[in-house]
Amino acid sequence: PYALLSRGTAYKSLRFSSILTRIYEYNVRTAAEVYVASNEIKRDTDRLRKPGQSESTFLPNAVDPDQFSSTDTAIARSTIGLPEDSGFVVGCVGRMKPYHRIDYLIRSLEYVDKPEDITLLLVGDGPELDRYRQLAEDEGVSDQVVFTGFVPHSEVSTYISACDAVYGVSDQDSATPVKIFEYLACARPVIARSIDELSFINTRDLGRLVTRDPEAIGTAIQELSDLDPTQRNTMGRRGRAYVKENRTWAAAVDRILNDFE
């Protein structure tokens, strides 16, 4: 049996998209079952399935919680060399590309009551890194922004653990960002884009869902920073418990195997 896992829609935007779409359609119609990462992919895929074939199944992105764990915040900050007086730290891990909206995060400090009490920990390398550094200078917040450059995957958990909250707002419509589940596995509150696939963050109080807007992001940072640390720690523990119970890659594998059995 052939199972197709469809995690994105790049075939529609890359070069030779018409050819890639034909290839995708062939795979969709050949597969016994199709598992999709978002509602948008499901809509596109179901239109391509042949009459009589089953609809695609929503199988969201997930995490291996054994690869991501929580470390005490003070210990994590000492390990990565972050000053003790960093205040409320908001982190973001990933490639410095436009669709990750790091520019919105930097500009969001304008809408925080005391931006001098906030530190942005931006982990990763990429083509937009120099532009974001310049933006931080232009916004007058370069003292509040730490760019780490590339960090080995084995050290990512420590950098996430050094944060009080983590940011994952993205322009991507085609799938939920995997980083959101990695953040939650590290027991940290998240600031994520308000989409249906991430509605559980509000329902279970695991952080804040926002629109793609610097002011909304700034408001979320302010709300989370105003919480008592005990409240944020409890929120973080709920997040890790949620992904361990509901969003692991092992559970996704079991779902597919059970379907074929």
Side-chain angles (χ1 to χ4, degrees):
Y2 173 33
L4 174 65
L5 275 65
S6 182
R7 321 309 294 168
T9 58
Y11 65 89
K12 296 194 293 186
S13 58
L14 294 173
R15 292 181 62 193
F16 309 113
S17 60
S18 60
I19 297 174
L20 294 174
T21 300
R22 293 282 297 276
I23 294 172
Y24 182 68
E25 179 179 0
Y26 174 80
N27 278 271
V28 164
R29 293 185 169 207
T30 303
E33 299 291 341
V34 182
Y35 298 86
V36 297
S38 74
N39 291 326
E40 180 194 5
I41 303 172
K42 179 173 174 58
R43 288 191 297 270
D44 289 347
T45 300
D46 287 344
R47 283 196 295 265
L48 297 175
R49 294 283 273 171
K50 293 184 295 187
Q53 287 185 310
S54 60
E55 290 187 1
S56 60
T57 300
F58 178 56
L59 189 73
N61 284 326
V63 67
D64 179 353
D66 292 335
Q67 292 190 17
F68 294 87
S69 58
S70 175
T71 303
D72 176 78
T73 302
I75 294 174
R77 291 184 184 181
S78 175
T79 301
I80 68 174
L82 200 63
E84 293 183 5
D85 60 351
S86 296
F88 187 80
V89 178
V90 181
C92 181
V93 178
R95 289 276 291 164
M96 296 293 164
K97 289 190 172 183
Y99 60 80
H100 286 311
R101 304 309 342 186
I102 303 297
D103 52 341
Y104 288 177
L105 178 59
I106 293 171
R107 290 166 53 199
S108 73
L109 293 182
E110 176 184 350
Y111 302 98
V112 175
D113 289 345
K114 295 182 178 180
E116 65 274 12
D117 292 341
I118 307 293
T119 294
L120 303 183
L121 180 64
L122 306 183
V123 182
D125 200 353
E128 299 296 305
L129 181 57
D130 289 340
R131 184 172 74 86
Y132 293 147
R133 283 192 171 121
Q134 185 61 52
L135 177 61
E137 290 188 16
D138 294 343
E139 293 287 318
V141 295
S142 55
D143 289 343
Q144 274 69 57
V145 183
V146 176
F147 293 94
T148 69
F150 172 79
V151 167
H153 187 267
S154 59
E155 299 176 16
V156 166
S157 288
T158 304
Y159 281 82
I160 297 174
S161 295
C163 302
D164 297 291
V166 273
Y167 172 85
V169 175
S170 170
D171 280 342
Q172 291 175 293
D173 292 322
S174 58
T176 49
V178 174
K179 71 172 65 182
I180 296 298
F181 304 106
E182 295 173 349
Y183 291 161
L184 292 171
C186 289
R188 293 300 182 268
V190 298
I191 300 171
R193 182 181 167 195
S194 182
I195 57 176
D196 289 343
E197 290 88 346
L198 294 177
S199 61
F200 69 89
I201 291 174
N202 269 356
T203 303
R204 297 174 179 266
D205 191 22
L206 308 181
R208 294 292 185 272
L209 293 181
V210 299
T211 56
R212 290 174 292 180
D213 175 73
E215 183 173 3
I217 296 165
T219 299
I221 292 173
Q222 187 67 57
E223 290 177 357
L224 291 173
S225 67
D226 286 343
L227 293 177
D228 183 272
T230 302
Q231 291 177 287
R232 288 196 300 270
N233 290 339
T234 301
M235 187 180 289
R237 288 195 295 271
R238 279 199 302 269
R240 178 165 174 83
Y242 174 81
V243 294
K244 287 184 69 175
E245 184 176 344
N246 300 281
R247 294 294 181 90
T248 67
W249 289 122
V253 171
D254 289 342
R255 168 67 185 275
I256 295 170
L257 292 177
N258 288 337
D259 284 352
F260 279 101
E261 288 176 359

